[in-house]
Amino acid sequence: MLRSFVASIVGFLAFASAPPLRAQAVPDRTAFERGAGSVLVPQGGSVVIRDGAARVGVLGVAVDIDVVGQVATTTLRIALNNPTRVTQEIELMLPVPRGAVVRGFDFAGRAPAQSAEVLPAQRARALYDSIVSRAKDPALLEFADFDTLRSSVFPVNPGTGLVVKVVYEHVLVADGDRIDYTLPRSESLGPNWIPWTVEVRIRAPRPIAAIYSPTHAMTELRASPAEARLRLDATAAREPGPVRFSWLLEGKGLNATLYVHPDARIGGGYFLLLCGLPPAPADAPKTKREVLIVLDRSGSMRGEKFEQARAAAMQILAGLEDGEWFNVLDYSSSVALFAAQPVQRTDDTIAKAKAYLERLVPDGGTDIQSALTCVLRQNHTSGTHPIVLFLTDGLPTVGITDEVRIRSDAVAENRHARRVFTFGVGHDVNAPLLDQVAIQSRAASTYVQPAENVEAKVSEVYRRLHGPRLAAPTLRVLDEHGVAAPHRVADIEPRALADLYDGDQILVLGRLRGEGDVVFEVEGDQLGQTATFRFPFRMHSTADDCAFVPRLWASRRIATLLDDLRMSGADPKVALTRGAQDGEIAREIYALSTEFGILTEYTSFLAQEGSVLADEAGNLARMNDQLQNRLRMQRAGRDAVRQAMNTQRLRDQQRLNRRNRQLDQTMNETAFDRVAQVGQRAFFSIKGRWVDSRLARRAANVPPDDTMDLASDRARLALTSLDGGSLNGVYSLGGDVLLDIGGKAVLFQRTPTQQAPAIADPTASPPIR
């Protein structure tokens, strides 16, 4: 494998330096009609269509996307591997966006120049049907509604690698000031999903206010206000599904765009509101900060933990700018202060504060309530943005230790609306308390694991707290006439918007009710002045465009419900009076988990072999046991911290989590492949069959109402008529599929000769750049 990988690189370098080859006419006959043994779709795998032929594997795919204005040039380098001892010819079929034009197609090797053409969707469909009839595998039909680039690749020599380069160009769709890009790929969760690298360069006609991907984690680098570079994170290299990202151009101040997924079942649909501002110029006026640092100096902090916390405080002081204010508070069994009230940053005050920090010695217990009360009662410097960085490594052991009292006092004492960013160091912390103190003040909690560096974690949070560009934002909904219309939306997440710091964006999800256009109004403090922005939107988005919206909303909704239940566990007396209310919350969590295929650590048993989805009462009882004994009862320790971190992932979720990744009981990340998400629907793998979650209450032994061959025209027509045509991903699931159509259970069967889809060569190596 190593030799073939190196050979691929050598061949690619030779190919890249060679002069471009002239385009040739594409033969009328397809490659497999002339003798090709297999068909390769890099986004979905390969199928063998001739007896005795072998499967050519894909080692990896490297994608470069260059966007100028609304024109995107996409370059794919597809690394192939022929594991056999004979030369192979393959039919390459590459799904591309509608209207794409081939600008280049080539590969190194002994064959003469090759060329390719793009088949419109109707012609491509006929070709896919022909291949499926030979291969007896309908998996490739997932892409049958795409335009498709087609060509033969020959020779693919035995035991060596080959890099095929494809370049296509297309005009991107704009929705107001938002421009969308989608890279077609399979939704399959196959274990051998090949690694992809994706790099993007965007050159826009005016500054970019926000960049957002609802599907994959991407690293963003701004070269200038109107130019950005993106890179698919290494953690997302093997994540399935189309890669989608959008960018929002600058408006007059804050700009916004709306993603809508209609759903008649709830009397409207789901929405995602994205707001952003371009990066602020270096010389732009900024809101000055008032930073109060609160350090736990109890005896348990002694040693490396406290040294790292001290270093973090030193680093924060060094980063303060002229005109900003600060103070340092430290606590154990009592509270002490560097200064009686916040002081302005000068060389002298910084030097004295550092000397104060150097003299601190950890000792005593942990009086969290007194420390919070003291810092929140500090005078506020007018015209500054109030930030508190609160560190602790333990439970409250001195003074008032009741969680409910501490939490309520933190709200009552916060008359200056300070943002309290909490840091739990280690596992011996009250995680629910730290979460709620932060959430109720428009801030966030962070957990520092025993092996992690306190200084690095604190600095990571503090670095992004510049500004803010828009403080204390609020959201109102109006009708098309500008009249308040709160009835048009429901279950908005988050309940309170966080401040918009430089480089951040506002992301709001919720349910839409009724029909007609809608206006969103965002208001907040901008450099000490109230700023109001109105965004009118026409309800024209289609379901297949934004099927990710309901699932993202459901993830955040589940987090809010879990927080509600967890807070009730702080006081056993209150928990006893909330039986009916908590029961309703638990039932909603279960319903959202099954409908959208979102597994929490309290519902992950639904993905285990042998689970019976139809046993709703039994499943609810099992989930309630988990919620009671773990979510409510475990307030501190590793399990409590892990639950807090998993819930935080749901609460902050901005993109799909197709594999339901979460932390397990050993604090390692785990994933689940027995639940698949296709379009808006979720499917559970039950005894080799994928079952639509909408049929969860149906007993497993009840026969289906109808049966279709998955590769048939009848099945195709049925699938394309559902959910705006967003269900083609079911072709790639493997096994039979039981689908809800109009309240009836329809079984889509693979015939006994149909293979499960082959996702990739199981010996896949990293992609070639």
Side-chain angles (χ1 to χ4, degrees):
M1 179 59 67
L2 179 61
R3 288 195 190 96
S4 66
F5 189 71
V6 172
S8 297
I9 297 176
V10 173
F12 174 64
L13 292 174
F15 154 67
S17 62
L21 300 172
R22 296 181 179 179
Q24 295 182 349
V26 179
D28 292 334
R29 293 188 305 159
T30 62
F32 69 76
E33 289 173 333
R34 299 192 312 274
S38 61
V39 174
L40 177 68
V41 180
Q43 293 98 325
S46 61
V47 295
V48 175
I49 45 89
R50 189 173 299 281
D51 292 341
R55 196 185 309 276
V56 172
V58 179
L59 297 175
V61 181
V63 184
D64 288 288
I65 302 164
D66 188 17
V67 182
V68 179
Q70 279 183 239
V71 179
T73 302
T74 302
T75 302
L76 293 93
R77 294 174 175 85
I78 306 156
L80 307 179
N81 177 61
N82 178 3
T84 72
R85 297 182 179 181
V86 297
T87 299
Q88 298 279 345
E89 179 179 9
I90 64 168
E91 174 91 347
L92 178 68
M93 297 182 65
L94 186 72
V96 296
R98 292 287 174 91
V101 177
V102 180
R103 295 301 185 201
F105 176 81
D106 222 335
F107 61 91
R110 293 179 297 171
Q114 302 291 315
S115 62
E117 68 170 348
V118 173
L119 303 178
Q122 187 174 3
R123 287 182 59 196
R125 175 75 210 200
L127 183 55
Y128 281 113
D129 286 341
S130 178
I131 294 171
V132 167
S133 68
R134 292 168 179 253
K136 305 301 182 185
D137 179 8
L140 296 184
L141 293 178
E142 178 180 8
F143 303 105
D145 292 330
F146 283 87
D147 288 2
T148 299
L149 181 148
R150 181 197 77 175
S151 185
S152 66
V153 176
F154 179 83
V156 184
N157 292 320
T160 62
L162 181 68
V163 177
V164 178
K165 179 181 177 182
V166 177
V167 183
Y168 65 82
E169 187 177 276
H170 73 295
V171 178
L172 302 178
V173 175
D175 186 342
D177 287 334
R178 187 188 83 225
I179 301 171
D180 299 326
Y181 180 99
T182 300
L183 178 67
R185 300 196 315 163
S186 175
E187 299 194 54
S188 171
L189 291 175
N192 299 317
W193 181 265
I194 60 176
W196 286 59
T197 64
V198 180
E199 296 195 1
V200 185
R201 183 184 184 189
I202 301 170
R203 286 171 284 179
R206 61 182 197 267
I208 299 171
I211 299 175
Y212 172 59
S213 171
T215 59
H216 292 76
M218 304 187 82
T219 301
E220 175 185 334
L221 176 65
R222 295 292 185 98
S224 71
E227 182 177 345
R229 291 183 180 273
L230 308 176
R231 174 177 292 176
L232 189 69
D233 280 1
T235 57
R238 292 182 182 270
E239 289 298 306
V243 177
R244 174 172 180 165
F245 55 91
S246 307
W247 56 100
L248 177 65
L249 300 179
E250 178 185 44
K252 295 181 179 179
L254 187 75
N255 205 1
T257 186
L258 191 70
Y259 302 85
V260 176
H261 180 88
D263 191 338
R265 296 178 306 154
I266 63 170
Y270 301 86
F271 74 88
L272 184 157
L273 178 71
L274 174 70
C275 307
L277 285 163
D283 57 351
K286 297 178 181 178
T287 300
K288 298 300 183 180
R289 297 167 297 180
E290 179 190 74
V291 181
L292 307 183
I293 305 169
V294 186
L295 294 182
D296 182 346
R297 58 170 170 78
S298 61
S300 58
M301 283 287 288
R302 190 179 294 113
E304 186 178 15
K305 282 193 295 186
F306 190 76
E307 293 306 318
Q308 291 176 357
R310 191 197 327 255
M314 295 279 196
Q315 190 176 72
I316 291 167
L317 293 176
L320 290 172
E321 300 175 357
D322 292 338
E324 295 189 320
W325 294 65
F326 75 95
N327 202 354
V328 178
L329 292 80
D330 54 284
Y331 69 98
S332 58
S333 299
S334 60
V335 182
L337 300 92
F338 160 67
Q341 299 296 338
V343 298
Q344 189 169 18
R345 182 238 176 263
T346 65
D347 291 345
D348 181 58
T349 56
I350 293 295
K352 289 180 177 178
K354 288 183 175 180
Y356 178 83
L357 285 168
E358 290 288 1
R359 293 194 296 270
L360 295 181
V361 177
D363 191 27
T366 307
D367 191 348
I368 289 178
Q369 194 272 349
S370 294
L372 277 171
T373 299
C374 182
V375 73
L376 294 173
R377 286 180 177 176
Q378 289 269 289
N379 293 338
H380 172 54
T381 307
S382 179
T384 63
H385 182 62
I387 294 173
V388 175
L389 303 174
F390 191 96
L391 280 77
T392 184
D393 81 327
L395 301 169
T397 59
V398 177
I400 296 174
T401 60
D402 178 67
E403 178 186 330
V404 176
R405 172 71 182 279
I406 295 172
R407 192 173 68 214
S408 61
D409 283 356
V411 174
E413 296 288 352
N414 197 4
R415 291 181 288 273
H416 301 301
R418 287 189 160 97
R419 280 56 165 171
V420 185
F421 291 87
T422 58
F423 296 84
V425 182
H427 294 151
D428 192 23
V429 296
N430 187 318
L433 173 62
L434 296 183
D435 282 351
Q436 288 306 310
V437 167
I439 291 170
Q440 292 171 353
S441 67
R442 296 179 187 264
S445 55
T446 300
Y447 294 95
V448 186
Q449 299 305 298
E452 293 180 323
N453 186 286
V454 180
E455 179 185 359
K457 278 284 192 175
V458 175
S459 299
E460 180 183 344
V461 172
Y462 180 71
R463 275 196 302 269
R464 71 175 187 84
L465 301 181
H466 287 287
R469 306 287 299 283
L470 190 70
T474 59
L475 179 69
R476 294 178 66 221
V477 181
L478 315 173
D479 63 19
E480 59 265 37
H481 306 295
V483 178
H487 62 280
R488 290 296 311 277
V489 297
D491 301 324
I492 290 179
E493 301 292 343
R495 292 173 176 173
L497 304 186
D499 301 314
L500 180 64
Y501 293 97
D502 201 22
D504 282 351
Q505 53 201 25
I506 295 173
L507 196 152
V508 183
L509 293 125
R511 295 187 181 191
L512 276 173
R513 291 173 171 169
E515 299 179 351
D517 297 343
V518 66
V519 178
F520 287 92
E521 180 183 87
V522 179
E523 186 173 276
D525 181 281
Q526 199 168 48
L527 295 174
Q529 302 294 321
T530 299
T532 303
F533 307 93
R534 284 191 175 184
F535 308 106
F537 295 107
R538 299 186 66 83
M539 300 294 99
H540 63 272
S541 295
T542 56
D544 59 317
D545 285 338
C546 304
F548 59 87
V549 174
R551 186 162 285 109
L552 292 180
W553 168 82
S555 296
R556 292 193 170 195
R557 177 67 179 166
I558 289 172
T560 296
L561 296 172
L562 290 174
D563 283 336
D564 288 345
L565 287 179
R566 189 169 59 161
M567 281 193 292
S568 73
D571 187 343
K573 295 179 182 178
V574 172
L576 291 175
T577 67
R578 285 174 49 105
Q581 181 181 354
D582 286 355
E584 286 298 318
I585 293 174
R587 279 188 286 275
E588 185 176 354
I589 292 172
Y590 180 81
L592 292 172
S593 295
T594 52
E595 178 180 356
F596 294 100
I598 299 168
L599 299 182
T600 66
E601 52 186 300
Y602 318 105
T603 55
S604 60
F605 64 85
L606 294 172
Q608 295 175 356
E609 185 66 46
S611 291
V612 181
L613 287 179
D615 183 15
E616 183 171 323
N619 292 336
L620 272 169
R622 185 171 178 181
M623 183 189 74
N624 275 319
D625 181 68
Q626 297 270 348
L627 294 174
Q628 175 63 29
N629 294 320
R630 295 177 55 235
L631 180 72
R632 287 193 184 96
M633 300 298 293
Q634 294 176 343
R635 318 301 288 179
R638 186 172 70 173
D639 198 38
V641 170
R642 187 197 68 253
Q643 291 179 74
M645 295 174 70
N646 280 332
T647 302
Q648 186 178 59
R649 287 188 178 193
L650 292 170
R651 188 188 307 123
D652 299 338
Q653 191 165 322
Q654 296 189 11
R655 61 188 60 87
L656 296 177
N657 180 9
R658 292 179 182 275
R659 295 184 185 272
N660 282 293
R661 296 187 184 278
Q662 55 190 261
L663 298 176
D664 63 16
Q665 293 188 1
T666 64
M667 300 299 284
N668 294 313
E669 189 172 82
T670 187
F672 300 87
D673 289 342
R674 297 180 60 82
V675 179
Q677 301 167 355
V678 179
Q680 185 185 332
R681 303 207 190 192
F683 296 85
F684 289 79
S685 178
I686 302 174
K687 297 181 179 179
R689 173 186 293 177
W690 289 98
V691 179
D692 189 339
S693 64
R694 297 180 185 182
L695 299 171
R697 292 185 177 92
R698 189 181 179 101
N701 57 353
V702 175
D705 299 306
D706 193 6
T707 301
M708 302 184 193
D709 185 331
L710 187 56
S712 68
D713 288 341
R714 183 168 173 245
R716 180 191 72 204
L717 292 173
L719 290 175
T720 55
S721 66
L722 292 172
D723 298 0
S726 63
L727 290 178
N728 275 1
V730 302
Y731 285 115
S732 68
L733 292 178
D736 296 344
V737 180
L738 189 65
L739 190 65
D740 173 72
I741 300 181
K744 294 185 177 181
V746 179
L747 180 64
F748 292 81
Q749 282 186 316
R750 292 175 182 271
T751 63
T753 57
Q754 290 173 358
Q755 312 166 41
I759 302 303
D761 180 358
T763 58
S765 301
I768 296 171
R769 294 298 300 170

